[in-house]
Amino acid sequence: MLTRQESRNHLGFGQSEQHEGQDLSLAAHSRNFAQLLDHWGLSRPSVVAHDIGGAVALRTLLLEERNSGT
């Protein structure tokens, strides 16, 4: 079984930089996450998320029409 693990901070959170005028809304984070999954070619990833990441993952699953592997 091939596994891949990635760890990311959402823009404006953790150690990432925050810029004036940057869209840090839940919708923007969800779009960014969906685009990242597309870029990686992951159609049904298993995602572990917490804090704001949990809300982003859930919104991506429900509103950006992405599927979760588990």
Side-chain angles (χ1 to χ4, degrees):
M1 173 197 249
L2 179 64
T3 63
R4 176 180 178 166
Q5 298 173 351
E6 295 286 340
S7 176
R8 299 282 187 250
N9 283 324
H10 291 285
L11 296 174
F13 291 85
Q15 296 181 3
S16 67
E17 295 182 6
Q18 190 174 46
H19 303 284
E20 188 166 332
Q22 185 176 14
D23 186 357
L24 300 176
S25 68
L26 186 57
H29 286 299
S30 182
R31 285 190 304 271
N32 290 340
F33 184 47
Q35 290 172 355
L36 185 61
L37 294 176
D38 290 343
H39 175 75
W40 285 338
L42 301 175
S43 60
R44 292 184 53 84
S46 295
V47 176
V48 177
H50 69 94
D51 200 8
I52 188 68
V56 170
L58 183 59
R59 188 182 193 288
T60 303
L61 173 66
L62 296 175
L63 299 179
E64 299 294 331
E65 299 180 10
R66 296 304 189 278
N67 295 314
S68 175
T70 55

